Every structure is written in structure tokens, then in C-alpha cells.
Amino acid sequence: MTHTDKATRPRRARRADAAQNAERLLTAAKDLFEEHGPDAPLDEVAQRAGVGNATLYRHYPTRGDLLVAVYADEVAALCDQGRALLAEPSTAEALFTWLDGFVVHIATKRTLALAASEHSGTPRTELFERWHDSMRSIAERLLARAQRAGTIRADLSVADVLALTSGTALTSTSTRHAQQLLQVLRKGFVTTKASAPPHAP
């Protein structure tokens, strides 16, 4: 083993440890904010992650940094789900499975998103545009795929779909209510091809 190899291995180990600590902090913060809201004590985040406060502030210097990271991770998970659904054979079902996750996200993560933008040094409009663009891109691909298959009305734009579904989430009385309203919207989105029963063998 060369001197360079010996020097490189500890650096790699430190980078791996740092990445693991950041992931543990993110998971702990996500759980804590879910339980107690975005004003939960940051000391408890470090305790749950099993690291010291210095490690917490090295990765996330401010509450805003941590809130933005947690919400961005939620958006990334929703987008990852959408990309996986692009492989589903039923195009309408893939779209509405993702939209169900989208309305749950809007209904349950709005407070987190507002807190993240409030505490961040980045302008609120810039943050919301970044997050919205990520979700819009996935929705657009799922919608276009369903429209090409003829299972969703061709006159619907992605802006229409997201406006109607997000409005449903924001005005509903509960997450369950939002999901029920989405099923009402579904009846207006799908074509007869998507809603027709399968042919008997």
C-alpha cells in the first residue's frame, strides 16, 4: 500500500461518516417535525440522531437550513415515486396513484413548506418555484403518457391538473377528505377508454 492510499482511506471514511450523520439528522428532523411541528427543539434532533449539537450545526447551520433540507427531501421522495410509476402499465392508474401522493403531500406538508421558506435566507418565491417545478415536471410526464394512451382527456393541461388537485388538498377538511375529492376529480379526468370495464376472456 502506498503512502497516498494510506492517506486517502481515512478521508474517505470521514466523508462516509459525515454523509451518514447528515442522513441520520435528516431522518430525525423529519420525524420530530412531523410529531411536534417545525418549531421543535433542534437539540432534540441531534439527540435522536445520536450526534452532538456541533455535528448538527456543521451540517445545518440554521433552523432554516434544516427545514429546507427536510422539505426538499419530501419533494424528492414524491418525485422518485413518480419516476417509478412511469413504468406502470396502467397509465391512468399511475397518474392517479401519484396524484394521491401529491394531495397527501400538500395536505400534510404545507406547514413545513411555509416554515422552511420563512426561516430560509432564500426568497420564498424562489424556493416554491424550485419545488413546484420538480413536481410539475413529474406530473407532466405522467399526464402526457396517459394522454398518449388515450386514458386521460387530451384537453387537460398539467397546470389544470395540479391546480385542481392542489386546490382540493388545500380546501379539504382532512387528508382522507382530500383523497375522496380526488376520486371525484378522477371521474372528470378519465376517458371512456380508461373507465370501461375489461373485456371478459
Side-chain angles (χ1 to χ4, degrees), residues 8-23:
T8 301
R9 290 181 68 181
R11 285 199 296 271
R12 288 176 179 168
R14 286 196 296 272
R15 285 197 295 269
D17 287 345
Q20 289 173 359
N21 285 339
E23 187 62 32

Side-chain angles (χ1 to χ4, degrees), residues 45-196:
V45 173
Q47 290 172 9
R48 286 199 183 191
V51 301
N53 284 357
T55 300
L56 167 64
Y57 291 113
R58 184 161 55 249
H59 288 285
Y60 306 106
T62 68
R63 179 181 294 274
D65 292 326
L66 185 57
L67 286 165
V68 167
V70 169
Y71 186 71
D73 193 62
E74 297 282 4
V75 172
L78 186 61
C79 292
D80 286 345
Q81 181 201 25
R83 280 186 281 272
L85 286 166
L86 288 168
E88 288 295 312
S90 174
T91 57
E93 200 59 43
L95 174 63
F96 276 93
T97 296
W98 188 82
L99 287 175
D100 184 79
F102 177 70
V103 297
V104 170
H105 173 91
I106 296 295
T108 60
K109 307 300 178 187
R110 184 168 182 262
T111 299
L112 177 63
L114 291 172
S117 63
E118 180 182 339
H119 286 85
S120 172
T122 306
R124 174 176 292 189
T125 52
E126 182 180 331
L127 282 173
F128 276 107
E129 283 177 8
R130 184 191 310 164
W131 294 327
H132 180 75
D133 286 349
S134 298
M135 292 184 282
R136 179 191 175 98
S137 176
I138 291 299
E140 197 163 29
R141 293 173 67 186
L142 288 164
L143 175 63
R145 181 170 171 263
Q147 288 174 325
R148 285 195 300 271
T151 57
I152 296 293
R153 286 171 44 177
D155 60 341
L156 284 171
S157 69
V158 69
D160 296 333
V161 171
L162 293 182
L164 288 166
T165 51
S166 60
T168 292
L170 292 172
T171 57
S172 60
T173 57
S174 66
T175 302
R176 178 62 179 160
H177 185 216
Q179 292 174 301
Q180 290 171 338
L181 291 176
L182 177 63
Q183 293 309 307
V184 176
L185 288 178
R186 178 175 183 149
K187 295 177 182 178
F189 286 4
V190 298
T191 63
T192 53
K193 180 177 180 179
S195 56

